[in-house]
Amino acid sequence: MRTVGTSIYLGIDPTVGRAQFVYAALDEDGKIEALGSGKLNAVLAYAAGQSQAWIAVNGPRGVNQGLTDAANTQQALFNEPGNAAWNNLRLAEAELIARGLESTRTAATPEQCSPWMRTAFELYRQLARLGYQPLTDTSIARGLIEVQANAAFGSLAAASLFEARALEGRLQRQLILNIEGLPLRDPMDFFEEITRHRLLKGILPFDMVYPSHELNALVAAHTLWLARHQPQRVLTLGDAQEGQLWLPIPEPPEKPERMAYGDD
């Protein structure tokens, strides 16, 4: 099968509220090509203008279809058969929780879902109309996947996360992306800019730290970039019928070279 070179990796965060979206685009070298925000029409116009692009949405594709209701599924994931706490969420979300990661819970009907989730549902529908289809292999020119930003950050860091919108949470997430190789300023520089005088006057270099929604969009785009360039570092969770979720994982540590017998 011929592989189509993908030129754009576009992450979209629909969790902003008030029908706003934040998007981030990476090129083949992992450099930031676009970072912005706007209404649905603006995001769709950007997506429509790409002949070859993969898109990752930080939100569910649709409602849950009861796949976690079965007692045998709950037994396999949580060793808790018949626990009603695991009934009203999607299988991919249950798998995240089973891995110790944060996850949203998508209800069984749109009316039970939060407004931002319904906004995500509409985004998926509109992207499908533009020819974006579930990403199943690298021959797809316009591919579409789902991510969960908090789970992605937690997985990459293999650690607990601070609250996403708090300063420490933003610094933590920016550091994770910086370590991953994205061209973001090292967030540790933030602390070098803090002096006694600036702290006393409330003058802090907040412009050095990315907003949480931009970080969400960037980790979504980075997940796509990994899927193309380091596919061994991306897992797919859940069931295709209900909507699969893509999860980046840390790069495995290098194994130390084995010392030959007699070496110092």
Side-chain angles (χ1 to χ4, degrees):
M1 180 181 296
R2 183 174 65 88
T3 299
V4 177
T6 303
S7 57
I8 292 295
Y9 304 92
L10 179 62
I12 303 176
D13 182 16
T15 70
V16 187
R18 298 187 179 182
Q20 285 281 337
F21 300 84
V22 172
Y23 61 90
L26 304 180
D27 63 16
E28 285 288 354
D29 296 322
K31 307 301 182 184
I32 300 175
E33 180 162 308
L35 186 60
S37 63
K39 297 288 188 179
L40 178 60
N41 287 343
V43 175
L44 293 176
Y46 186 86
Q50 309 302 322
S51 59
Q52 296 184 62
W54 290 354
I55 295 179
V57 178
N58 177 34
R61 183 186 301 271
V63 299
N64 85 66
Q65 299 180 27
L67 300 185
T68 59
D69 290 356
N72 59 342
T73 300
Q74 295 180 22
Q75 176 70 31
L77 288 174
F78 308 107
N79 198 29
E80 296 179 358
N83 189 334
W86 304 113
N87 285 348
N88 203 23
L89 75 169
R90 295 179 306 146
L91 182 60
E93 295 163 343
E95 291 183 18
L96 284 181
I97 295 171
R99 290 174 174 271
L101 298 170
E102 292 184 35
S103 178
T104 57
R105 292 169 178 258
T106 308
T109 66
E111 294 74 22
Q112 294 176 308
C113 295
S114 60
W116 76 262
M117 287 184 175
R118 296 195 293 270
T119 299
F121 299 161
E122 180 61 20
L123 176 61
Y124 280 106
R125 285 192 289 268
Q126 294 298 330
L127 290 173
R129 292 180 60 184
L130 294 177
Y132 287 90
Q133 56 185 307
L135 183 59
T136 55
D137 61 67
T138 56
S139 68
I140 295 177
R142 285 187 164 188
L144 183 60
I145 71 168
E146 174 190 340
V147 300
Q148 281 201 25
N150 274 340
F153 281 120
S155 175
L156 290 172
S160 299
L161 299 175
F162 295 116
E163 201 279 322
R165 299 192 188 188
L167 175 60
E168 59 269 29
R170 292 159 55 200
L171 288 166
Q172 182 186 34
R173 286 160 175 77
Q174 187 168 328
L175 179 59
I176 292 168
L177 293 178
N178 177 271
I179 292 172
E180 281 289 305
L182 271 72
L184 307 181
R185 186 165 182 175
D186 188 338
M188 301 310 294
D189 293 344
F190 175 88
F191 298 100
E192 296 182 4
E193 296 292 328
I194 300 176
T195 64
R196 180 184 178 90
H197 173 75
R198 288 186 175 185
L199 185 59
L200 181 64
K201 298 299 182 181
I203 305 171
L204 296 178
F206 292 115
D207 59 327
M208 298 173 60
V209 188
Y210 282 72
S212 59
H213 296 295
E214 290 185 357
L215 294 167
N216 289 345
L218 285 165
V219 79
H222 181 57
T223 301
L224 285 168
W225 189 91
L226 288 176
R228 178 71 172 87
H229 295 278
Q230 300 179 37
Q232 73 279 6
R233 292 191 56 201
V234 179
L235 304 177
T236 55
L237 307 179
D239 186 272
Q241 169 190 341
E242 196 178 44
Q244 289 184 309
L245 188 147
W246 294 48
L247 181 71
I249 58 176
E251 192 168 7
E254 294 184 5
K255 294 182 179 180
E257 293 185 9
R258 187 173 182 179
M259 186 176 293
Y261 181 75
D263 289 349
D264 291 335

